[in-house]
Amino acid sequence: MPTLNHQYTGWGLNWDEIFPQMSILSNDPDHRFAPPYFNYGVIFGPRTSIETIGCTFIDELEAVVRVHDGVYRSQIANCLAFERHGIRCAEMSVNYNFPLNLPGDAYRALNPDPSGKDRYSDIRIFHYIGGRMHFENTDTIEELLARSDLDGAWPAFQGKLGIVHDRIKTNSRSSLASGSTGAD
């Protein structure tokens, strides 16, 4: 049995209020702690550890599916692989996987950055959940960038996305002007 020693980063949020149509996280105090659980948003590790996980990942996935065949089954299998192989895990600042779809201030209050970098501008990796809603095409991206009704971490995301979007547009124009096909 894996050790239940990591508190869920979302523990303490009112999930019934945030997502009334979905049962995402239990509010049962017995479910507050879990083994190290990492979604596929961000996982860093040495190549040897990742290769070790890969050796038994299918076995872990099959074990999970026997109990729970939900959408997060592969992430749970990942957790089992960490435990099976005794791979050490450490938590990183939420700045390296900040969920855009949660109330940012409440989430940040529960998960302050260890070094005090708690502004939205300190976020390095945004965890976008929304499918392709804002990324269907150039128009939907530009609509997102033009919105002025966003709050929480969204304006910081807009700013970073705007920089990337502008670079892509500039590089695309440069490639077209030079006659490059992108195969160079």
Side-chain angles (χ1 to χ4, degrees):
M1 179 69 175
T3 307
L4 308 178
N5 57 354
H6 289 264
Q7 177 176 291
Y8 285 106
T9 55
W11 186 263
L13 293 177
N14 184 342
W15 291 92
D16 295 331
E17 184 179 296
I18 298 168
F19 297 111
Q21 71 282 10
M22 300 167 63
S23 177
I24 293 185
L25 186 69
S26 169
N27 292 319
D28 183 337
D30 289 339
H31 299 161
R32 181 176 183 170
F33 293 93
Y37 176 84
F38 306 98
N39 67 37
Y40 286 146
V42 179
I43 297 176
F44 295 104
R47 179 180 178 163
T48 56
S49 295
I50 303 305
E51 288 173 344
T52 299
I53 290 169
C55 290
T56 62
F57 188 79
I58 298 300
D59 295 334
E60 318 300 356
L61 188 56
E62 289 170 352
V64 171
V65 169
R66 284 193 298 269
V67 178
H68 172 74
D69 194 19
V71 67
Y72 300 113
R73 63 188 173 268
S74 60
Q75 294 179 174
I76 297 168
N78 202 39
C79 163
L80 293 179
F82 283 128
E83 288 292 314
R84 175 195 297 251
H85 299 291
I87 296 173
R88 292 183 311 128
C89 299
E91 298 169 5
M92 296 174 60
S93 164
V94 295
N95 287 333
Y96 293 94
N97 193 13
F98 198 93
L100 283 167
N101 62 322
L102 297 180
D105 292 337
Y107 186 75
R108 176 66 83 185
L110 295 170
N111 301 284
D113 181 81
S115 60
K117 295 183 177 184
D118 290 321
R119 298 168 305 177
Y120 290 125
S121 60
D122 294 322
I123 298 170
R124 296 296 172 247
I125 299 174
F126 294 89
H127 189 132
Y128 175 81
I129 299 174
R132 295 183 179 187
M133 181 172 58
H134 296 106
F135 296 94
E136 283 291 325
N137 53 50
T138 304
D139 292 339
T140 58
I141 293 171
E142 290 177 357
E143 288 169 11
L144 173 61
L145 292 172
R147 287 181 60 180
S148 60
D149 62 330
L150 300 174
D151 60 4
W154 281 94
F157 176 68
Q158 278 179 305
K160 306 254 177 162
L161 178 62
I163 292 167
V164 172
H165 182 64
D166 289 345
R167 279 189 194 156
I168 291 170
K169 282 176 39 177
T170 300
N171 288 339
S172 294
R173 282 191 220 117
S174 296
S175 294
L176 290 173
S178 70
S180 172
T181 62
D184 302 338

